[in-house]
Amino acid sequence: MSANTKTRVAVIFGGRSSEHAVSCVSAGSVLRAIDRTAYEVVPIGISTEGGWVLAVDDPDQLVIRDGKLPQVDATRPAVVLPGDPTARALTVFDESQPSGALGEIDVVFPVLHGPYGEDGTIQGLLEMADLPYVGSGVLSSAVSMDKAHMKVALAGAGLPVCDYVVVTARRWKTENAAVRDEIAALGWPVFVKPARAGSSVGISKVKRPEDLDAAMAAAQEWDPKVIVEATVIGREIECGVLEGVVGPDGVQGPPEASVTAEIRVLGDREFYDFEAKYLDDSTELTVPADLDEAVAAKVRALSVQAFEALSCESLARVDFFVCADGSVLVNEVNTMPGFTPVSMFPRMWAASGVDYPTLVDRLLRTALQRRSGLR
């Protein structure tokens, strides 16, 4: 703990992924919610090029305004976080003055979505620095980010997942006919997705074989590894999971699941893409979801099972398809779900009795209780 009476928390946001703006909006909400009587906040922005800067502690700059997406100001003073457990101090570099230390950090809240933030990369740096942080560790973050490996891990733990085909850049070039046959066997339409991207970027719904090439090219712009999924006719249901709290006896409790929520895409949109999530009114979000009690209980139980199957820590949002016959399929697990004002994760927990400031505080406290790294 730092010498002063407040816990020093570095809130890191932005990043190089396609979800840069979403991360900024999430961070703005977190900055607004943090209890400043208990925490001293150091906002760190990562530009779209990957530069680390000391950001302005102003949540109002991190909002979507008139359709304009926020982004990290790359002209701010540069910051370095050394991956050195003997030196937790952040160092700031400003051309107008000598470089200097910002002081030690007690805990990090990496509000980063997508590659280079939610995929184990920054988690590895924080492990090297022996810094506690909010979110899952290196392996869990990496596996959950890769939809193909995530499905293998979930299925291996006995959880139900939809049918899919993994297409690497090599297979698409050297085994093209065989790959097309495998995709056709899924049945049309199919969803073509980058394996390691988020916010529904690069995703296409393909209704006929002749449209497959364009969809593959769109996905490969974001990731050379592509996953093609069979269409599931069902309701899109989500559930939040939080790491169990440590009791007075020092024993950690089991993970907890929130109430469920439902996403319905309206109008002409075919699926829940980036624009539907953040830029227009083409979705209807229902919290809690209007589900049969037994089905809701099944979703909540599977959420916890998925959380543990992937060795998640801290938090996760688990997405499902619930079919008309009551069967449930796990779609994906997000280890750093959106924290924007309209994001499902905080909304589900608010409906479960944990408001936004309490949620942020709980995440920081559990991160501080959990030791980093191996001994």
Side-chain angles (χ1 to χ4, degrees), residues 112-265:
L112 294 161
H113 308 310
Y116 309 108
E118 195 180 349
D119 60 352
T121 48
I122 195 169
Q123 289 78 12
L125 172 62
L126 297 174
E127 293 282 354
M128 292 288 291
D130 198 25
L131 271 171
Y133 56 92
V134 173
S136 289
V138 175
L139 176 64
S140 176
S141 297
V143 171
S144 299
M145 191 72 214
D146 187 314
K147 296 177 178 66
H149 284 292
M150 175 193 65
K151 289 180 186 295
V152 169
L154 292 174
L159 281 84
V161 299
C162 69
D163 294 331
Y164 65 97
V165 173
V166 178
V167 186
T168 61
R170 179 188 60 79
R171 286 200 73 210
W172 185 241
K173 287 185 177 180
T174 63
E175 305 172 32
N176 191 271
V179 170
R180 289 177 186 274
D181 288 342
E182 291 174 24
I183 293 172
L186 295 173
W188 305 98
V190 295
F191 284 92
V192 178
K193 305 178 179 181
R196 296 162 293 188
S199 274
S200 301
V201 295
I203 297 180
S204 304
K205 183 177 183 179
V206 182
K207 300 178 180 179
R208 52 184 192 162
E210 49 265 44
D211 295 331
L212 190 56
D213 289 87
M216 288 293 298
Q220 288 175 333
E221 285 185 15
W222 299 96
D223 188 349
K225 182 178 179 180
V226 175
I227 187 166
V228 183
E229 297 176 341
T231 296
V232 177
I233 306 301
R235 299 165 65 183
E236 295 189 50
I237 302 295
E238 299 185 347
C239 187
V241 183
L242 286 174
E243 179 180 359
V245 298
V246 177
D249 58 357
V251 178
Q252 185 180 36
E256 301 172 26
S258 70
V259 302
T260 59
E262 181 171 13
I263 300 168
R264 292 182 61 241
V265 180

Side-chain angles (χ1 to χ4, degrees), residues 5-321:
T5 58
K6 295 182 180 180
T7 300
R8 296 194 85 218
V9 51
V11 177
I12 304 179
F13 60 95
R16 293 163 58 191
S17 85
S18 61
E19 298 184 78
H20 178 98
V22 180
S23 171
C24 291
V25 178
S26 290
S29 299
V30 171
L31 290 174
R32 189 174 282 107
I34 287 181
D35 180 3
R36 300 307 178 104
T37 66
Y39 299 99
E40 179 185 349
V41 178
V42 181
I44 305 296
I46 301 178
S47 72
T48 54
E49 292 77 28
W52 289 44
V53 299
L54 180 63
V56 177
D57 187 4
D58 182 4
D60 290 337
Q61 292 189 15
L62 300 173
V63 297
I64 299 175
R65 185 172 285 113
D66 299 326
K68 184 178 180 180
L69 300 173
Q71 67 177 33
V72 170
D73 180 0
T75 66
R76 296 283 302 164
V79 170
V80 171
L81 172 65
D84 180 351
T86 67
R88 287 184 170 182
L90 287 164
T91 301
V92 61
F93 297 91
D94 189 338
E95 293 182 357
S96 64
Q97 55 186 312
S99 63
L102 286 174
E104 290 193 358
I105 297 298
D106 297 312
V107 63
V108 176
F109 197 147
V111 195
L112 294 161
H113 308 310
Y116 309 108
E118 195 180 349
D119 60 352
T121 48
I122 195 169
Q123 289 78 12
L125 172 62
L126 297 174
E127 293 282 354
M128 292 288 291
D130 198 25
L131 271 171
Y133 56 92
V134 173
S136 289
V138 175
L139 176 64
S140 176
S141 297
V143 171
S144 299
M145 191 72 214
D146 187 314
K147 296 177 178 66
H149 284 292
M150 175 193 65
K151 289 180 186 295
V152 169
L154 292 174
L159 281 84
V161 299
C162 69
D163 294 331
Y164 65 97
V165 173
V166 178
V167 186
T168 61
R170 179 188 60 79
R171 286 200 73 210
W172 185 241
K173 287 185 177 180
T174 63
E175 305 172 32
N176 191 271
V179 170
R180 289 177 186 274
D181 288 342
E182 291 174 24
I183 293 172
L186 295 173
W188 305 98
V190 295
F191 284 92
V192 178
K193 305 178 179 181
R196 296 162 293 188
S199 274
S200 301
V201 295
I203 297 180
S204 304
K205 183 177 183 179
V206 182
K207 300 178 180 179
R208 52 184 192 162
E210 49 265 44
D211 295 331
L212 190 56
D213 289 87
M216 288 293 298
Q220 288 175 333
E221 285 185 15
W222 299 96
D223 188 349
K225 182 178 179 180
V226 175
I227 187 166
V228 183
E229 297 176 341
T231 296
V232 177
I233 306 301
R235 299 165 65 183
E236 295 189 50
I237 302 295
E238 299 185 347
C239 187
V241 183
L242 286 174
E243 179 180 359
V245 298
V246 177
D249 58 357
V251 178
Q252 185 180 36
E256 301 172 26
S258 70
V259 302
T260 59
E262 181 171 13
I263 300 168
R264 292 182 61 241
V265 180
L266 308 175
D268 297 329
R269 292 201 180 276
E270 300 248 33
F271 59 94
Y272 193 40
D273 60 8
F274 185 90
E275 287 74 17
K277 287 181 180 181
Y278 303 109
L279 299 179
D280 60 30
D281 299 321
S282 59
T283 55
E284 180 179 86
L285 310 178
T286 304
V287 186
D290 182 16
L291 284 176
D292 177 83
E293 197 169 306
V295 175
K298 184 176 183 180
V299 167
R300 296 176 76 244
L302 286 173
S303 295
V304 171
Q305 291 175 38
F307 188 88
E308 296 193 302
L310 296 174
S311 299
C312 293
E313 297 170 287
S314 197
L315 75 162
R317 192 195 73 233
V318 188
D319 302 344
F320 296 88
F321 292 114

